């Protein structure tokens, strides 16, 4: 019978087919737009502390990259605790 692994494999194949049909340029443009929206809302500056601001920006990006945004997922394994 069909199980969760089968459903996951089917979903992955569907997403891969859609990505191939869309093409790299469209995927890159979508990623660029997503990051533009993120930085428009999350960017920061600290007067006189450019290195601290850069460090905090890196941390913000790590949180952005690790956290789920689909309403079903959370942080990736080791996403917030990995090196």
């Amino acid at each position: 019978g069909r199980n969760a692994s089968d459903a996951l494999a089917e979903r992955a194949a569907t997403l891969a087919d859609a990505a191939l049909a869309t093409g790299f340029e469209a995927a890159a443009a979508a990623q660029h737009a997503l990051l533009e929206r993120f930085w428009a809302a999350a960017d920061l500056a600290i007067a006189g502390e450019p290195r601290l601001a850069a460090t905090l920006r890196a941390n913000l990006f790590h949180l952005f990259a690790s956290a789920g945004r689909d309403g079903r997922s959370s942080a990736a394994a080791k996403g917030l605790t990995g090196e």
Side-chain angles (χ1 to χ4, degrees):
R2 189 175 150 94
N3 60 34
S5 292
D6 295 333
L8 182 60
E10 184 178 312
R11 177 76 175 133
T14 299
L15 289 171
D17 289 343
L20 287 171
T22 300
F24 176 81
E25 293 302 323
Q31 178 72 6
H32 179 78
L34 178 68
L35 288 171
E36 286 284 324
R37 288 190 307 273
F38 169 72
W39 287 118
D43 203 6
L44 58 91
I46 302 171
E49 295 287 346
R51 289 185 67 195
L52 178 57
T55 299
L56 291 173
R57 281 190 195 102
N59 287 324
L60 287 170
F61 178 76
H62 290 185
L63 286 170
F64 174 78
S66 296
R69 288 174 291 285
D70 62 5
R72 295 185 310 258
S73 60
S74 182
K78 292 195 81 174
L80 299 177
T81 59
E83 294 182 29

